[in-house]
Amino acid sequence: MSKKTVRDLTDAQLRGKRALVRVDFNVPMNDSMQVGDDTRIRAAMPTIEYLLERGACVILLSHLGRPKGKPNPSYSLEPVARHLATLTKARVDFVETTDSDEATRAATELSVGEILVLENTRFLGGEETNDERLSRSLACLGDVFVNDAFGAAHRAHASTEGVARHLKPAVAGLLMEKELEYLGGALESPKRPFISILGGAKISGKIDVIEQLLPKVDRLLIGGAMACTFFRAMGLNTGKSLVEEDRLEMARGLLARAGDKLVLPSDAVVAPSIEESKSATNVARDAIADSQAMFDIGPKSSEQFSSLIAEARTVIWNGPMGVFETPPFDRATRAVAEAMAAATGNGAITIVGGGDSAAAVADLGLESRMSHVSTGGGASLEFLEGKELPGVAALEDKSE
Ligand code: ADP
Ligand code: MG
């Protein structure tokens, strides 16, 4: 089951060789076209340095944004390459094409210890269609293929899946390995009690995760607007809260099946609107007025969730507990993050998946106090849904 990684490559497979590495440099850019947040670039550095230290040269492939198969200067990787140069002692070159004689020449002429960044893979029409010709062409750029782009692994694109079928060895990078180890380990052999906390806006986007996790976890805690859909399914008044009417039947089914595994909030923080956050009050879940909407789980629920987290030995969290972008509706999200950080200190495995939850943890400065914060929002969700990620499936198995 488990995949070969760069650590399975021999000295002979790396010394003097060209390592073609798919990274996830899909970073936010600021108004002056500079890298806004370099978390994803830094996350790929261990793999890049590992390969350089073993005498390889490194050719990097990545996408950035959604240029839809056409070159578009606002999505160029050039500023990313410049930023990368500030994070490494190695020489960093950039070529403004990806699939061209120029790119091939640059890759061939690269010296040991150097890095070459090629242009945005999504400038190519064949990338998102996983075009066979493009996949073969990309495969010619290197001697080994390394996929370290966990955040793009749920897409079968030429630079993630296609190329891995044509260039062997095809192995996981260190970031990819860490993602699979934590997420896979939690699902396959969790230390118990194993709990999961799900939140965020919509139950519809996370229903497959609920289905997949429910048989595996000891407790499934539900917060966010998702909880409101369950409240309505229980026949409670939810006022102006965000409820997905078309998921009520499904929520009822889950409530019936899950028994006491499913833990719903017992109280709520409500206000007439997000803008009127100053008039926020705490109410029991069966006392939400018609004129109010739930924007966070209440203090009693937050305390209950925190104590369940404190008792757990494995915790997976996906989705904020409330509208954490607008205080005071960030309180429960903050409490969950802090409880998880404390649990990590007591030896629990704590995993955060999901873009907004990861951002909340980063804002609180608690990233380093989690066992693992996933770099791939969509990819980690699909992994938790039990789906095989095409970019991972195409890599070689350990036993091969
Ligand atoms: P993640 O990216 O971590 O998977 P989601 O994208 O599913 O999380 O959900 C995050 C969004 O959910 C946030 O923008 C947050 O404001 C919203 N949200 C959470 N609770 C509520 C609520 N009670 N009402 C409305 N929106 C909510
Ligand atoms: Mg999100």
Side-chain angles (χ1 to χ4, degrees):
M1 227 348 245
S2 73
K3 295 293 177 179
K4 280 191 186 165
T5 78
V6 283
R7 292 184 292 118
D8 296 306
L9 296 173
T10 62
D11 205 45
Q13 283 172 313
L14 288 177
R15 193 151 299 281
K17 297 294 165 68
R18 293 169 305 159
L20 180 66
V21 187
R22 175 56 157 99
V23 287
D24 180 4
F25 283 176
N26 185 28
V27 294
M29 307 294 281
N30 61 24
D31 293 342
S32 41
M33 291 287 289
Q34 307 276 343
V35 172
D37 174 358
D38 68 355
T39 307
R40 286 181 164 169
I41 305 177
R42 282 185 288 108
M45 292 317 292
T47 299
I48 295 170
E49 298 293 353
Y50 181 96
L51 294 165
L52 294 176
E53 279 162 22
R54 279 155 189 83
C57 56
V58 170
I59 300 147
L60 298 176
L61 294 175
S62 178
H63 73 286
L64 175 66
R66 296 175 186 271
K68 307 224 166 92
K70 282 195 288 291
N72 178 340
S74 31
Y75 296 113
S76 174
L77 281 174
E78 208 238 353
V80 176
R82 259 187 282 120
H83 188 92
L84 172 65
T86 67
L87 300 176
T88 174
K89 289 201 195 85
R91 181 196 157 103
V92 179
D93 278 339
F94 173 75
V95 171
E96 58 187 18
T97 51
T98 319
D99 179 33
S100 66
D101 291 343
E102 187 198 13
T104 307
R105 197 175 328 112
T108 314
E109 287 171 2
L110 204 59
S111 302
V112 159
E114 291 181 352
I115 302 171
L116 172 67
V117 179
L118 298 178
E119 187 53 286
N120 192 339
T121 53
R122 289 195 188 163
F123 285 4
L124 304 170
E127 164 73 335
E128 295 185 59
T129 58
N130 201 4
D131 179 68
E132 228 9 56
R133 191 211 58 79
L134 176 60
S135 302
R136 284 176 198 277
S137 177
L138 293 177
C140 294
L141 292 167
D143 302 304
V144 306
F145 177 65
V146 177
N147 191 347
D148 212 22
F150 178 76
H154 57 316
R155 307 275 182 240
H157 291 170
S159 70
T160 60
E161 199 270 351
V163 63
R165 281 185 284 111
H166 297 295
L167 176 56
K168 303 287 179 196
V171 302
L174 298 171
L175 172 63
M176 177 76 90
E177 178 186 36
K178 185 169 182 251
E179 293 273 7
L180 297 175
E181 226 172 63
Y182 275 102
L183 293 169
L187 293 185
E188 279 157 33
S189 49
K191 291 194 285 175
R192 291 185 186 276
F194 171 24
I195 71 168
S196 183
I197 308 134
L198 296 179
K202 290 190 170 170
I203 193 171
S204 48
K206 292 186 180 167
I207 183 63
D208 292 338
V209 180
I210 299 178
E211 292 285 359
Q212 174 74 12
L213 288 177
L214 205 51
K216 297 197 161 91
V217 296
D218 297 298
R219 289 297 179 98
L220 189 61
L221 320 188
I222 304 276
M226 253 204 253
C228 305
T229 300
F230 281 103
F231 289 169
R232 179 74 70 82
M234 293 157 72
L236 300 177
N237 191 12
T238 48
K240 296 196 286 181
S241 308
L242 187 61
V243 169
E244 286 173 276
E245 300 285 347
D246 56 339
R247 303 287 158 163
L248 292 178
E249 208 49 52
M250 200 190 64
R252 270 185 214 110
L254 274 168
L255 284 166
R257 262 188 297 143
D260 62 1
K261 257 196 188 183
L262 207 59
V263 182
L264 292 165
S266 56
D267 58 349
V269 181
V270 298
S273 68
I274 296 181
E275 291 70 36
E276 291 160 277
S277 59
K278 287 212 168 65
S279 55
T281 50
N282 306 326
V283 296
R285 69 181 182 194
D286 58 3
I288 301 176
D290 288 339
S291 58
Q292 306 271 4
M294 170 171 177
F295 292 119
D296 197 9
I297 66 170
K300 286 202 188 94
S301 315
S302 176
E303 221 167 271
Q304 186 198 10
F305 283 21
S306 298
S307 64
L308 287 167
I309 291 167
E311 289 160 19
R313 300 199 64 209
T314 307
V315 185
I316 295 185
W317 176 32
N318 180 300
M321 296 294 96
V323 182
F324 73 103
E325 299 92 336
T326 313
F329 307 126
D330 60 339
R331 284 207 188 123
T333 300
R334 182 189 288 262
V336 162
E338 279 162 5
M340 282 181 70
T344 318
N346 290 326
I349 302 282
T350 52
I351 301 165
V352 183
D356 290 293
S357 329
V361 169
D363 278 351
L364 293 169
L366 293 174
E367 262 172 323
S368 63
R369 293 179 57 203
M370 304 293 169
S371 307
H372 182 62
V373 180
S374 179
T375 53
S380 65
L381 207 59
E382 289 199 20
F383 192 92
L384 294 178
E385 286 169 0
K387 293 196 183 126
E388 184 166 59
L389 309 182
V392 176
L395 303 176
E396 288 166 79
D397 291 326
K398 278 261 196 220
S399 51
E400 258 176 43

